[in-house]
Amino acid sequence: MAACPAPGSRRRIRRTHFIAAGCAMALCATVAAPAAADGGTTTTTAKPTIVLVHGAFADASSWNGVVERLERRGYSVIAPANPLRGLYSDSTYIASVLDSIKGPLVLVGHSYGGALISSAAAGNGRVKSLVYVSALMPDVGESGMSLAARFPSELGTATNSVPYRAGGVSGTDLYLKPDRLRPVFAADLPESTTRVMAVTQRPVATTAFSEKAKVAAWKHIPSWFLVAKQGRTINPDQERFEAQRAGSHTVEIDSSHVAMITHPEAVTDLVLQAATAAESARPELPATGSPHAARTKTALTGIAAASLIAGAGAVLLGRRWGRPTS
């Protein structure tokens, strides 16, 4: 017959088993903690909303081909109506549109619309990328007129000035001359199309080009630039100068000024580059220390806490089950 252990021995055995179980619990917590801590640093960035801002003499429908392509790729797109009343009021309006959109943003500006996104994006941390399509990209203190003086184009002789009055305000609107719209603005579109564009064009107030930029968001936000090599509304050399000054990711294509209409695929590809860069952006790291150090610190904190809890639980269980029965 096997000898039975004495009651005291049984209590010591039970206590030993529970302490061992507690150590096993602590060990499991130690092994699992780094994965949880490291996993906590992983984030999924939502696709940014693409905001397309048209320029002078046009409307939001000029983006139709780009909108269709971006939406097929799963992006939310907004193409607001640009008031074309002046740099200050127009950029304020576009900034208010941005305030109504949740999540990260990529702003795209064509022609005069480029000056607007440079101002509207200033101070908005949700704007991740700026895209300029044969656009104005003024620095602080510059205007469309001052840039055109340095890089002359045919636009200066292709417009008619028309006084306007509205709501107690008066000023001067600029229209493209009907016979000059195609050669200066859209030389690679059919004449039948440009005739309709001449009739339906939206005028722009002269203040859009005379007001000087007060901010330049491209100094702080990554930018992409498409140079229209055949453009005659903005001198291609001006576009190259602007892009180089800003350190923009730049492509050049054989297009008239309205590249988003005549080459929507090329424009969409550039916007997608900017959007992809925005999607891959990581959250800010701690002010000091490396990412590895931050993850290690988090993991060690979790390990210590888990081990302490598991060890304390084991001791309490050991005391409970090791207590003599009455």
Side-chain angles (χ1 to χ4, degrees):
M1 178 182 295
C4 295
S9 299
R10 284 198 298 271
R11 286 195 294 272
R12 283 194 296 273
I13 290 171
R14 284 197 297 268
R15 184 180 298 110
T16 301
H17 286 171
F18 279 101
I19 291 174
C23 291
M25 291 167 61
L27 180 59
C28 290
T30 300
V31 172
D38 188 61
T41 63
T42 303
T43 59
T44 302
T45 304
K47 284 182 178 292
T49 298
I50 313 296
V51 181
L52 306 171
V53 182
H54 68 82
F57 317 115
D59 60 27
S61 67
S62 59
W63 292 109
N64 285 356
V66 176
V67 171
E68 293 168 358
R69 287 165 173 78
L70 289 173
E71 288 187 336
R72 284 202 296 266
R73 298 294 291 267
Y75 286 93
S76 296
V77 187
I78 294 178
N82 180 353
L84 302 178
R85 296 296 85 194
L87 177 60
Y88 303 150
S89 62
D90 293 346
S91 59
T92 300
Y93 175 79
I94 296 299
S96 72
V97 173
L98 304 183
D99 289 341
S100 71
I101 306 169
K102 295 181 180 179
L105 303 165
V106 171
L107 307 190
V108 186
H110 170 247
S111 193
Y112 165 61
L116 297 188
I117 66 172
S118 294
S119 294
N124 190 331
R126 294 183 299 113
V127 178
K128 304 303 180 182
S129 306
L130 300 171
V131 184
Y132 296 84
V133 180
S134 51
L136 294 178
M137 196 183 194
D139 199 350
V140 176
E142 290 179 343
S143 67
M145 288 183 177
S146 68
L147 283 167
R150 295 176 62 184
F151 301 94
S153 72
E154 296 184 36
L155 180 63
T157 60
T159 59
N160 286 324
S161 299
V162 179
Y164 74 86
R165 296 185 303 278
V169 177
S170 62
T172 302
D173 270 339
L174 297 177
Y175 289 82
L176 285 170
K177 297 175 181 178
D179 62 336
R180 298 287 289 153
L181 187 144
R182 185 168 187 266
V184 173
F185 196 65
D188 43 3
L189 285 177
E191 186 175 354
S192 59
T193 300
T194 57
R195 280 201 303 268
V196 175
M197 291 173 67
V199 172
T200 60
Q201 65 175 293
R202 290 186 58 209
V204 59
T206 55
T207 47
F209 300 124
S210 64
E211 291 178 340
K212 297 178 180 179
K214 297 179 180 179
V215 291
W218 50 263
K219 291 185 174 183
H220 310 290
I221 301 173
S223 60
W224 283 253
F225 205 113
L226 185 143
V227 175
K229 293 195 291 184
Q230 305 305 320
R232 296 162 72 179
T233 301
I234 297 178
N235 189 326
D237 286 337
Q238 176 182 325
E239 296 174 8
R240 295 184 183 102
F241 164 76
E242 294 170 338
Q244 183 177 12
R245 177 174 64 179
S248 303
H249 307 274
T250 306
V251 298
E252 298 196 4
I253 65 172
D254 285 315
S255 173
S256 69
H257 186 61
V258 290
M260 69 286 189
I261 299 176
T262 60
H263 295 81
E265 195 68 44
V267 173
T268 301
D269 287 345
L270 191 65
V271 174
L272 288 173
Q273 290 181 31
T276 301
E279 290 173 48
S280 63
R282 295 298 183 192
E284 292 185 2
L285 296 172
T288 58
S290 66
H292 174 73
R295 288 195 296 270
T296 302
K297 181 178 179 181
T298 302
L300 290 176
T301 301
I303 291 169
S307 299
L308 180 62
I309 293 170
V315 171
L316 290 174
L317 286 171
R319 288 179 177 174
R320 177 184 175 187
W321 288 100
R323 188 181 300 126
T325 58
S326 56

